[in-house]
Amino acid sequence: MKKEGNNRLLRFFCAGLFLIYLAFLLYFALASEDFGRVDHTADYRYNLQLFQEIYRFWHYRQTVGLSWATINLLGNVVCFVPYGFFVPILRKKKTNFLMTGIYSFVASLAVEVVQLILKIGVFDVDDLFLNTIGGLIGYLFYCLMRGLYRKYLQRKCK
């Protein structure tokens, strides 16, 4: 009985962290001035060719600046790591690697579509790819933490 109460409290705490994470994610994806999200254009901007922008940022990293290339490439991965970590914790049904990847892809697609509709930023399939990779890395981190919890902490609590 005590374990069920602890799990409920942990899920509640994680739900709060997840909501804070989502607020930051939406801010950076849709409203951040630092990432050009307030520049509305009359045209829709999009990239539908996989790896085109990844290649462009890497190939021209000296021109655009290594920090901007790193922010674009690694930032798209890192920003979805928490998503992949929280999804299996917050879902009542068991969530595996594949499902976490699908959820990460769909969440990223939703953000990209909103950017396209609002003409903020660029709808980019490379972002979908990198965000999904980030979600999968988050899931692997979740598996690692779950394993450590079961091995060390759960044994000490008995």
Side-chain angles (χ1 to χ4, degrees), residues 19-100:
L19 289 175
I20 292 168
Y21 157 74
L22 285 178
F24 277 107
L25 178 68
L26 291 174
Y27 169 75
F28 284 112
L30 302 175
S32 175
E33 292 179 13
D34 292 336
F35 294 104
R37 302 301 188 228
V38 293
D39 297 334
H40 295 278
T41 65
D43 298 327
Y44 292 105
R45 296 181 298 171
Y46 55 88
N47 166 39
L48 301 177
Q49 185 177 343
L50 189 59
F51 302 121
Q52 178 180 345
E53 288 299 304
I54 294 172
Y55 172 78
R56 188 174 67 87
F57 269 101
W58 184 251
H59 185 72
Y60 295 107
R61 67 187 176 277
Q62 306 304 358
T63 305
V64 297
L66 185 60
S67 62
W68 186 247
T70 303
I71 287 171
N72 185 282
L73 299 176
L74 287 181
N76 276 304
V77 173
V78 170
C79 75
F80 261 73
V81 169
Y83 188 87
F85 180 80
F86 285 121
V87 163
I89 293 172
L90 298 175
R91 285 214 27 158
K92 291 192 186 237
K93 293 174 93 177
K94 187 173 179 174
T95 305
N96 60 23
F97 185 80
L98 177 63
M99 288 308 297
T100 302

Side-chain angles (χ1 to χ4, degrees), residues 3-19 86-95 142:
K3 183 180 175 188
E4 185 177 311
N6 288 342
N7 285 344
R8 188 174 293 162
L9 183 62
L10 177 64
R11 285 174 51 110
F12 181 76
F13 178 71
C14 287
L17 289 177
F18 186 66
L19 289 175
F86 285 121
V87 163
I89 293 172
L90 298 175
R91 285 214 27 158
K92 291 192 186 237
K93 293 174 93 177
K94 187 173 179 174
T95 305
Y142 158 78

Side-chain angles (χ1 to χ4, degrees), residues 77-148:
V77 173
V78 170
C79 75
F80 261 73
V81 169
Y83 188 87
F85 180 80
F86 285 121
V87 163
I89 293 172
L90 298 175
R91 285 214 27 158
K92 291 192 186 237
K93 293 174 93 177
K94 187 173 179 174
T95 305
N96 60 23
F97 185 80
L98 177 63
M99 288 308 297
T100 302
I102 291 170
Y103 288 130
S104 298
F105 177 82
V106 169
S108 177
L109 181 62
V111 170
E112 294 294 321
V113 167
V114 169
Q115 285 181 339
L116 181 67
I117 291 170
L118 297 178
K119 298 178 183 176
I120 299 171
V122 178
F123 178 96
D124 190 353
V125 294
D126 290 345
D127 289 352
L128 292 172
F129 175 75
L130 293 170
N131 293 159
T132 303
I133 295 296
L136 293 173
I137 291 170
Y139 177 79
L140 294 176
F141 185 66
Y142 158 78
C143 290
L144 175 69
M145 292 293 106
R146 185 185 65 196
L148 290 173

